[in-house]
Amino acid sequence: MDWIQSWKDTLFLLLDDVPVSLREVVASIAIDGTSATTIIIDSRSEEPLSRAFLYNESCPDALPLVKSIAPAKHTVCSGSSTLCKLVSWWNSYPSSKESAVLLHQADWLLWLLHGKLGVSDYNNALKVGYDPQMDSYPPWLLSQPYSHLLPSVQDPGTKIGCMKEDIRTQFGYPKDCLVCTGTTDSIAAFLAARATQPGKAVTSLGSTLAIKLLSSRRVEDARFGVYSHRLDDKWLVGGASNTGGAVLRHLFTDEQLEKLSEQINPFEISPLDYYPLQAVGERFPVADPKMEPRLHPRPESDVEYLHGILESIARIEAKGYKLLKDLGATPVEEVITSGGGSKNQKWIKIRERVLGLPVCKADQTEAAYGAALLAMKGACENATSD
């Protein structure tokens, strides 16, 4: 799969999908992308220097070196961190690297629109080692031979520039349409849910399970895949598991999921104990690149099987929130649900029972809504400064 070309094609399809009558009034654009999905570009040719490193890929070859330079328990001390991917590429790429630039998925897509190579945001840059508290890259990272690849970092929702003329004229967007820095998909989902008080949490049930808890205290521990994103003067503490909707889609069609879910009694405890993964490896609440999927034994009843999988994912979610509390984060009081899994009311009831907390569906369940809020922020700040 040529992921880079696929993402570019999808971006242009989305630009073309906006109704023509609305394009002329679009003031700004921001994009959310998958955290730790990494692309390395040649700044001269503007072509990729390797295939894309996906969010869930682990680079264990680079981990010992990263652990030797980073503080203990730092976010980058995980095989799937952006820094491990950068170091792995650096050590294996045979040609000149002096014109290389590292971009995250959202950075690269936004670059296609604004044309200024090497701009990121402090949410995407976290897993390459950016320190959101100091608002800079730390000295231990800047002293490395590959530090020139690191992108410049701005606040999410900050104006980068206007849309490139060729893109603008091709699709019919206004001359002053801004392109703003983006964020990660789970941060965008949190913003969309409008959770504003410490103790409020958002679980994103997309292809993976990502949890974010608004906390007064910053918490990080790479041993468990726990990290904190800055959100103004508070912290979004959480992690992302490799379990989630992608496993369900692999086993069931959407129609089967809907029909089987209707037959589940969410108040009954499932005796089945699974660890639903699509492939070997887990990031959170246990960082174990060798963890094997566990989806057996499979009962004869598909209803029981689906019930067991949904409940097992809920247990992983509960373990994640308990871990955040044990590490010192503000205790969770309420969980808001976003992503495709939020449509499954039986699953919400199962999770409410397993978590022992109020669980509800977000009014806005799409991460893209959170990205749109950042775009609006950028447009408002630009109007104020003008």
Side-chain angles (χ1 to χ4, degrees):
M1 181 68 170
D2 185 349
W3 288 109
I4 294 177
Q5 187 61 47
S6 173
W7 296 330
K8 181 178 180 179
D9 293 344
T10 302
L11 173 63
F12 290 160
L13 284 171
L14 290 170
L15 289 172
D16 196 46
D17 199 40
V18 176
V20 174
S21 60
L22 294 179
R23 294 182 204 177
E24 60 188 20
V25 294
V26 173
S28 57
I29 294 175
I31 295 174
D32 68 272
T34 312
S35 170
T37 293
T38 309
I39 305 166
I40 296 172
I41 302 289
D42 187 317
S43 61
R44 293 171 184 161
S45 67
E46 299 185 344
E47 292 295 324
L49 290 173
S50 73
R51 65 173 182 82
F53 292 88
L54 300 185
Y55 67 94
N56 58 351
E57 284 188 55
S58 184
C59 296
D61 57 299
L63 191 54
L65 180 56
V66 169
K67 284 185 172 180
S68 73
I69 61 171
K73 305 179 188 178
H74 195 282
T75 306
V76 299
C77 296
S78 166
S80 61
S81 72
T82 312
L83 185 57
C84 277
K85 289 162 185 167
L86 169 57
V87 170
S88 180
W89 174 86
W90 179 266
N91 288 337
S92 61
Y93 189 71
S95 304
S96 172
K97 311 178 185 82
E98 65 180 53
S99 58
V101 178
L102 180 143
L103 297 174
H104 306 91
Q105 183 187 40
D107 307 337
W108 181 76
L109 290 169
L110 289 164
W111 166 69
L112 293 176
L113 301 183
H114 60 67
K116 297 179 181 179
L117 196 61
V119 182
S120 188
D121 64 89
Y122 62 59
N123 293 147
N124 270 299
L126 182 77
K127 291 183 181 179
V128 78
Y130 189 82
D131 187 334
Q133 201 158 20
M134 300 297 293
D135 211 6
S136 64
Y137 289 110
W140 60 262
L141 182 56
L142 292 175
S143 64
Q144 301 308 311
Y146 42 78
S147 63
H148 65 277
L149 274 76
L150 300 172
S152 64
V153 176
Q154 299 185 30
D155 290 3
T158 300
K159 171 189 170 182
I160 303 171
C162 291
M163 187 181 286
K164 289 163 55 180
E165 186 176 359
D166 59 332
I167 302 292
R168 180 181 61 76
T169 54
Q170 179 183 348
F171 294 101
Y173 286 85
K175 184 181 291 187
D176 59 351
C177 180
L178 302 179
V179 181
C180 303
T181 48
T183 187
T184 67
D185 51 358
S186 58
I187 298 289
F190 192 95
L191 295 173
R194 303 290 186 107
T196 58
Q197 297 299 317
K200 302 289 185 181
V202 173
T203 293
S204 180
L205 294 173
S207 57
T208 61
L209 165 74
I211 71 174
K212 289 283 183 289
L213 167 66
L214 196 59
S215 173
S216 302
R217 182 182 173 192
R218 182 183 184 184
V219 173
E220 295 199 348
D221 196 324
R223 295 175 302 169
F224 307 107
V226 174
Y227 53 91
S228 290
H229 281 283
R230 193 175 114 204
L231 189 63
D232 298 326
D233 62 342
K234 299 181 183 69
W235 296 95
L236 272 184
V237 183
S241 168
N242 287 338
T243 193
V247 181
L248 295 171
R249 286 281 179 85
H250 183 70
L251 295 168
F252 304 100
T253 65
D254 288 350
E255 185 179 359
Q256 286 174 322
L257 285 170
E258 186 174 345
K259 288 184 176 179
L260 293 172
S261 293
E262 288 173 358
Q263 301 173 61
I264 291 174
N265 180 351
F267 303 106
E268 280 187 5
I269 298 172
S270 171
L272 299 170
D273 181 23
Y274 300 135
Y275 208 104
L277 298 170
Q278 258 203 306
V280 174
E282 176 61 306
R283 299 177 290 164
F284 168 85
V286 177
D288 181 0
K290 296 181 180 179
M291 180 179 282
E292 296 276 351
R294 192 170 71 247
L295 286 161
H296 294 283
R298 178 167 184 164
E300 291 185 13
S301 166
D302 284 344
V303 175
E304 290 179 19
Y305 190 46
L306 177 59
H307 186 177
I309 293 171
L310 295 180
E311 187 143 338
S312 294
I313 295 175
R315 291 177 192 135
I316 296 169
E317 179 186 7
K319 185 176 179 181
Y321 281 120
K322 181 181 183 301
L323 175 63
L324 299 187
K325 179 185 175 183
D326 292 345
L327 291 174
T330 303
V332 60
E333 297 174 357
E334 180 185 12
V335 176
I336 303 167
T337 311
S338 66
S342 65
K343 300 171 186 174
N344 191 323
Q345 287 299 317
K346 294 295 181 76
W347 199 4
I348 283 182
K349 291 297 181 186
I350 289 171
R351 292 170 50 234
E352 199 164 44
R353 169 173 54 78
V354 172
L355 292 168
L357 294 165
V359 178
C360 66
K361 178 182 175 182
D363 291 336
Q364 297 290 344
T365 60
E366 293 296 333
Y369 187 88
L373 292 175
L374 287 176
M376 183 172 69
K377 170 178 174 272
C380 292
E381 288 179 353
N382 186 65
T384 303
S385 64
D386 288 350

